Amino acid sequence: MTTAKLKSSSSRTSDDVVELIHPPAFEEGQKVRALRTVRNDGTYPGVPTGTEMIQAGDVGYVKSIGTYLQMYYIYAIDFYERRIVVGMRAKELELVDSRCNDPK
């Protein structure tokens, strides 16, 4: 007779957290930097799956904020130098300059 170990609910990952209970981490117009390289996972049309879209360190601006699965914020980031807009999560981004768009 074998016994199976039950998974504890404490083994939840950060991906299990519902982000939408908090305000978005970034606002439209903010300058951000990619923390990791992003490859097409098959959701970007016209680009083969696995193609590198963004490199870690690339800088862009938050163009819009949407949601995914009623759990996560997805930020449309305009990487203007690469002429591409990519959807990313907050954990994949860092704020470059929070005051770059402050009124003078």
Side-chain angles (χ1 to χ4, degrees):
M1 178 201 269
T2 60
T3 58
K5 289 187 178 181
L6 296 175
K7 277 192 163 183
S8 167
S9 62
S10 64
S11 65
R12 299 181 78 136
T13 66
S14 63
D15 283 344
D16 294 334
V17 176
V18 177
E19 294 176 2
L20 301 183
I21 61 173
H22 302 289
F26 304 104
E27 297 176 10
E28 290 182 15
Q30 285 186 316
K31 188 176 184 179
V32 293
R33 178 180 298 114
L35 294 175
R36 67 180 191 93
T37 298
V38 175
R39 297 184 184 282
N40 183 16
D41 61 1
T43 58
Y44 199 91
V47 177
T49 301
T51 301
E52 186 177 284
M53 309 283 289
I54 301 301
Q55 292 181 347
D58 284 351
V59 173
Y61 290 89
V62 179
K63 186 172 183 171
S64 64
I65 304 167
T67 61
Y68 179 66
L69 297 176
Q70 298 179 339
M71 289 184 68
Y72 312 115
Y73 288 109
I74 299 296
Y75 302 88
I77 309 299
D78 183 359
F79 291 97
Y80 56 93
E81 290 180 349
R82 290 188 179 261
R83 296 185 174 156
I84 192 169
V85 176
V86 176
M88 299 182 75
R89 301 229 355 240
K91 67 182 184 177
E92 301 172 312
L93 301 164
E94 70 179 352
L95 191 60
V96 172
D97 184 359
S98 63
R99 297 175 36 141
C100 69
N101 292 323
D102 281 353
K104 304 283 187 256

